[in-house]
Amino acid sequence: MEEAYIDTPLGTARIRGDKSGISAIEVLNSPVEETSNIPITLKQAATQLKEYFEGSRQSFELQLNPKGTPFQKKVWLALQQIPHGRTLSYMELSKILGDPKAIRAVAAANGKNPIWIIIPCHRVIGSDGSLTGYAGGLHRKKWLLNHESQNKQQSLF
């Protein structure tokens, strides 16, 4: 397993993977020096993440290899179908997966997503439009949704 660190507007991201694909991307709460020589197996992910943050990329073309249960993987695959700039509620996602009663299990699987941004769990919101739980912190979820929005919100301060 190889790893690399890249700087993002939301903190240092750690990318992990091997020839089988990217297994994890997470944002760290403490800064780590950016990797100067990114391993070839992670280079494409690092480049595509940088393009995403620059605003020139809306979708990712990477081989993913997240570790999880079959149900978690099913949820993570569904998350990848949510278009850039759009959101779904946990209830809508549960219905898409074929079981509206599985809303808590879907939310739990969403929270266990190991591949930050590329599997866009930040695009799932509460049924009332609220920004509910996000492993990376609600301030990051808000930033990501605004970054992807067609109508950027202007700050008053």
Side-chain angles (χ1 to χ4, degrees), residues 130-145:
S130 63
L131 299 184
T132 57
Y134 186 63
L138 289 180
H139 68 289
R140 288 186 178 115
K141 183 172 188 165
K142 182 177 179 181
W143 190 98
L144 290 166
L145 291 175

Side-chain angles (χ1 to χ4, degrees), residues 59-110:
S59 62
F60 297 91
E61 291 112 35
L62 296 167
Q63 184 174 333
L64 304 181
N65 188 25
K67 306 293 185 247
T69 67
F71 180 77
Q72 288 171 331
K73 289 179 180 184
K74 181 179 174 183
V75 171
W76 301 336
L77 192 59
L79 290 172
Q80 292 174 69
Q81 306 312 308
I82 305 171
H84 180 91
R86 305 286 295 276
T87 58
L88 280 181
S89 70
Y90 289 99
M91 177 58 78
E92 290 169 318
L93 187 56
S94 296
K95 288 178 182 177
I96 288 168
L97 291 165
D99 187 356
K101 294 179 182 177
I103 190 167
R104 289 179 191 253
V106 167
N110 195 49

Side-chain angles (χ1 to χ4, degrees), residues 58 84-87 142-155:
Q58 295 185 357
H84 180 91
R86 305 286 295 276
T87 58
K142 182 177 179 181
W143 190 98
L144 290 166
L145 291 175
N146 190 51
H147 177 68
E148 294 181 1
S149 173
Q150 299 274 347
N151 305 311
K152 305 277 189 222
Q153 292 183 353
Q154 298 295 318
S155 173

Side-chain angles (χ1 to χ4, degrees), residues 2-17:
E2 297 183 287
E3 67 180 32
Y5 298 88
I6 63 166
D7 294 329
T8 78
L10 297 174
T12 303
R14 177 174 43 212
I15 306 168
R16 289 185 175 157

